[in-house]
Every structure is written in C-alpha cells, then in structure tokens.
Amino acid sequence: MEEHLSLLIHRSDIEQTVSRIAHQISEDYEGRQLLVVGILKGAFIFMADLIRQISIPIEVDFVTVSSYGSGTSSSRRIRLMQDMTMPVKDKDVLIIEDIVDSGYTLNYVIQHAKDIGARSVAVCALASKPSRRETPVEVSYLGFTVPDKFIVGYGLDFDNKFRYLPDIYALESGDE
Ligand code: IMP
Ligand code: MG
C-alpha cells in the first residue's frame, strides 16, 4: 500500500494549543498534588511540550498500554504492559493521551488510576475523533477535534512510522 500524507495541523497551531491547555491546567490544579501520567508511546511528544509550559510543580509518570493487533482500528482488549512507578494514592492524576478514538484505552487507564487510589482522575488529549466513539469518555482538556481519518505525526504513528514528524498529517492510502 502506498501512503500519502496530507497536512492537517501545522506545528504553529499545535504550539498555540499546547500553551492554551498548559495554562488552563496550571490554573485548575494550583495548590494541588498533580501527577501527570502519559500513555506511551503516542503521548510522549505532546506531553514533553505540555509539561514544559505548566507553571505549577508536578510529578511525571508513564504507563504503556497496548490493544491487540496493529493497523488502523483499535481493539477492545486493552492490556497494561507497564504500570506507573510513582505512588498514586491521594494524588490528582491527569492522564495524557495522544488521541481518543473508540474510548476503550482511556476508560481502561482511568479505571486503573482509580483502582490504585488516585484522589481524582482527569484526561488531557491532543486529539479526539468523536465520530468513532464506542464508549463515552470525559476529556477535560482537548487539543483538536479531528475527522474520521487516521492521523500521524507529533507522536502519533501508523505501525510505528511517522511519530517523529513535527506536524500532524492525515494518512491517505494510495488505493483510495
Ligand atoms: P481507543 O482505545 O480506540 O480510543 O484508541 C486509542 C489509541 O488508538 C490511541 O492511543 C492511539 O494509539 C490509537 N489511535 C487511534 N486513532 C489513531 C490515529 O488516527 N492515529 C494514530 N493512532 C491512533
Ligand atoms: Mg496510544
């Protein structure tokens, strides 16, 4: 399959959006014990940019989750490949995700953070495809609403390709 990329979100829009969200988070969590938890691998670039603009003290951790199978449609069976390493009990947890698609991944991670004793759990996502949702998820901080297209770049991959691109692209396959 031949892959074509078409530019969807330019890096300057990403930069502005990341600043906006970081300021909002800094305001909302002022005086609280915020633990920012990134979902690997997709969220790593977004999270790196975001936390450098947050102006309150935070702690940082990661989880790695995987859904079975590869390709462009996510499976419902989520597996925790690597857990957080910091104590979560009584902290305010903010989960950072690259993109919300069906919603299963985030619901799994939200439930997990609650199960291990988080005081509160909220979600910050770079992008969301609401038309693909199969289970509801509350996203407190959202960067971009995107159409039902597979997107890559700025951390997002297709079969582990394209994560390093500084802008966000829609992936169009050659036979479309
Ligand atoms: P969900 O569990 O269906 O919400 O899937 C979320 C996960 O699927 C994200 O963390 C991404 O890793 C992946 N994903 C969903 N849509 C896209 C996309 O358009 N580009 C890249 N990854 C995606
Ligand atoms: Mg992901």
Side-chain angles (χ1 to χ4, degrees), residues 39-43 65 97-99 105 157 163:
I39 303 182
L40 293 174
K41 295 182 257 189
V65 293
E97 173 64 310
D98 53 1
I99 185 164
T105 303
D157 73 305
R163 283 194 206 280

Side-chain angles (χ1 to χ4, degrees), residues 3-7 152 162 165 169-172:
E3 292 149 356
H4 299 279
L5 301 183
S6 63
L7 182 66
V152 296
F162 310 120
L165 298 173
Y169 295 84
L171 185 69
E172 330 267 4

Side-chain angles (χ1 to χ4, degrees), residues 41-42 70 155-164:
K41 295 182 257 189
S70 67
L156 291 126
D157 73 305
F158 171 67
D159 279 347
N160 271 308
K161 292 182 286 188
F162 310 120
R163 283 194 206 280
Y164 60 93

